Amino acid sequence: MKAVRFHEYGAPDVLRYEDVEQPLPGAGEVRIRVAATSFNPVDGNIRGGFMRGPIPVVLPHTPGIDVAGTVDALGEGVNSVAVGDDVVGFLPMDGTGAAAQYVLAPAEALTPAPKDVPLPDAAALPLVGLTAYQALFDHGKLTAGHRVLINGAGGAVGGYAVQLAKNAGAHVIATAGPRSREAVTSAGADEVIDHTTTRVTAAVTEPVDVALNLAPVDPAELAALVTLVRPGGVLVNTTVWMPAPSDEERGVRGIDLFVRSDADQLAKLVASIDRGELRVDVAERVPLAELPGLHARAAEGAVRGKVIVVPPAA
C-alpha cells in the first residue's frame, strides 16, 4: 500500500511517499481503508522532533492522527464494529497514523461516521472537534447563560468552539482577523472582535465565565485574558508550550488542555452533525502524495482552515 512516512526527524522534506506492507489487525484492533486523514499543526511538531517527550513515536513514522474510512478487517475480540462500517476516530498520537491507504486503529477509539457529510470530510472532525469540546465542557464547565471568550476563533478549533458554545446557550465573544470574521459570525458568534485593530481587554466590557485561548499569543497577552474572567471562572489554554496563568486571589483557574481521544464525546459531535447543529468546514482536499508539500506550506504559515488528505483508492 502507499503511505507517507519520515525515517528521521527534520524539515518537511524528510517525508517520503512510499510503498509499505499492509498491516494486519491484532487483538482489539481493526483495519480501516482510509478515506482521508487531516493535517494538524502537531503533525509538523512531531515530524520536526519537538514532541519526543510527550509523544514518543517509533521511526519510520506515518503521520495522521485523524481518520475517516471503512472497516475492512477485524482483529480478535472485536465486536463493536463490523466489516463495511464507515467510521471516524482519533488515533493514538504516538502510534502509526492514517496518512496511508490503510491504518490500524483500536476499536474502542472509533465511532460511526456522520451520515450527512462526505466520508473523507469527516476526517476534519476528531482532533479539533474534541479539543473544542473538552476545552468548553470538561474544563470550562460551560452551561447555558455563561459568557465565553474564544480568542483565536478563526482557526479550525475555533470554528467548532463557537458552534458548540452557541448551541449550549452561551453568549459567545470571539476574536478573529478580517479574513475569518464572516466564518466566525456564521458559526454563531454574538460579538466578533477584530484582534488586528482592537485590544481584547478594551473590547470586552463585562466579565466572562470562560476564556478559551487558541492563539499563539505572547505571555503578556495571555495573562491579560485572566483579567477578563469573573471570580471563580476559568481560562483554558491550548498553546501548551506556554502555561496558562491563573489568579488565585480571585479564584480564576488556569488550565492547559492536552486533547485526548474519547469515542463517546466524538459520538456526541457526530450526532450534532447529523442533527444539523454542527457544521464541518473543509478548506482544502489534498492528495496523499502531496502531503510533504502541505507540511512545507504549513511551516511557512500558508495553510488556512482545515485540510484533509486523501489517499488514492485502494
Side-chain angles (χ1 to χ4, degrees), residues 63 133 198 236 300:
Y133 186 96
T198 308
V236 183
E300 296 167 355

Side-chain angles (χ1 to χ4, degrees), residues 54 146 154 167 190 225:
H146 276 178
N167 291 346
D190 297 287
L225 296 181

Side-chain angles (χ1 to χ4, degrees), residues 268-279:
K268 290 179 182 179
L269 295 173
V270 168
S272 293
I273 292 167
D274 286 338
R275 289 194 300 267
E277 298 169 357
L278 194 62
R279 187 179 70 204

Side-chain angles (χ1 to χ4, degrees), residues 23 36 43 82 86 146 153 157 162 172 221 238 291 297-298:
D43 295 332
D86 289 339
H146 276 178
V157 176
V162 171
V172 182
E221 290 179 272
T238 64
L291 183 58
R297 285 196 290 128

